[in-house]
Amino acid sequence: LACCGIAPKGKKEDWVKLANTEQDDIKKERLKGGLARMYDLFQQAPELGSLIDPTTIEKDAFTSDFEELQPFLEEALNTENGNKANERAVIASGVAKAGVILNQKFTCVLTNVPFKETKQLCASLQTYIQSHYVKSKTNLATVFIDRIMGILVKGGTLSIVSPHEWLFL
């Protein structure tokens, strides 16, 4: 289990500095771009939780994808320093593990999705849902079902708690 609702602490610049490794300049720049996007994505963790999708960071000439970034993310989270080093270490390991879990495919997902109309959510969550879940955007429950369908393997099983009236809609 991993908590995916806590944002990483530390500065974005510190994360991006991790790309200053013994890599060629092109790969270094891709890592910097990817680390910056990953940091921004996980800063939204308190509002998005398991709606975070690391696969939205796509590899291109300027950005590394999550698979390439994961070791650097782990290092960034584990090297944060400050007065609350122990708390940050716990948060760091949880965020790193959450990123790995949120990037996986599953054969079976059983859950009780949250039921709330999108218009009742905070503005930033509404904006995220409008741009990432266009087909299911009217209700948080359908957004979660959409997200879960994306993490299932082909032929996977989804079992959810749902209102009985959904059988008639």
Side-chain angles (χ1 to χ4, degrees), residues 15-155:
W15 281 47
V16 174
K17 284 179 189 174
L18 287 172
N20 294 329
T21 60
E22 296 178 19
Q23 306 286 336
D24 62 68
D25 289 342
I26 294 171
K27 185 166 183 172
K28 240 187 245 189
E29 288 307 308
R30 258 197 353 260
L31 287 170
K32 285 180 181 181
L35 286 167
R37 290 198 52 209
M38 182 60 67
Y39 181 88
D40 291 341
L41 180 64
F42 276 91
Q43 281 301 305
Q44 300 175 71
E47 292 174 347
L48 301 180
S50 58
L51 291 178
I52 289 177
D53 184 359
T55 64
T56 60
I57 298 176
E58 295 178 1
K59 189 173 188 173
D60 61 25
F62 306 104
T63 308
S64 294
D65 61 7
F66 181 74
E67 203 169 294
E68 190 173 28
L69 287 171
Q70 205 280 326
F72 293 96
L73 174 63
E74 186 78 41
E75 184 179 342
L77 293 166
N78 288 329
T79 59
E80 290 182 357
N81 45 10
N83 295 336
K84 296 184 178 182
N86 289 339
E87 178 186 337
R88 289 182 182 171
V90 170
I91 293 169
S93 82
V95 171
K97 189 171 183 178
V100 171
I101 291 169
L102 294 170
N103 196 42
Q104 291 178 340
K105 295 285 187 177
F106 298 89
T107 55
C108 182
V109 176
L110 302 121
T111 188
N112 182 4
V113 295
F115 296 94
K116 195 169 221 177
E117 288 185 23
T118 307
K119 64 185 176 184
Q120 297 173 323
L121 303 172
C122 67
S124 59
L125 189 51
Q126 286 181 32
T127 302
Y128 184 84
I129 288 171
Q130 293 285 335
S131 63
H132 290 85
Y133 296 95
V134 177
K135 292 180 182 178
S136 56
K137 64 186 175 188
T138 59
N139 191 291
L140 192 54
T142 55
V143 167
F144 267 91
I145 292 168
D146 194 1
R147 169 71 172 123
I148 293 166
M149 295 300 287
I151 63 173
L152 283 173
V153 296
K154 186 175 181 175

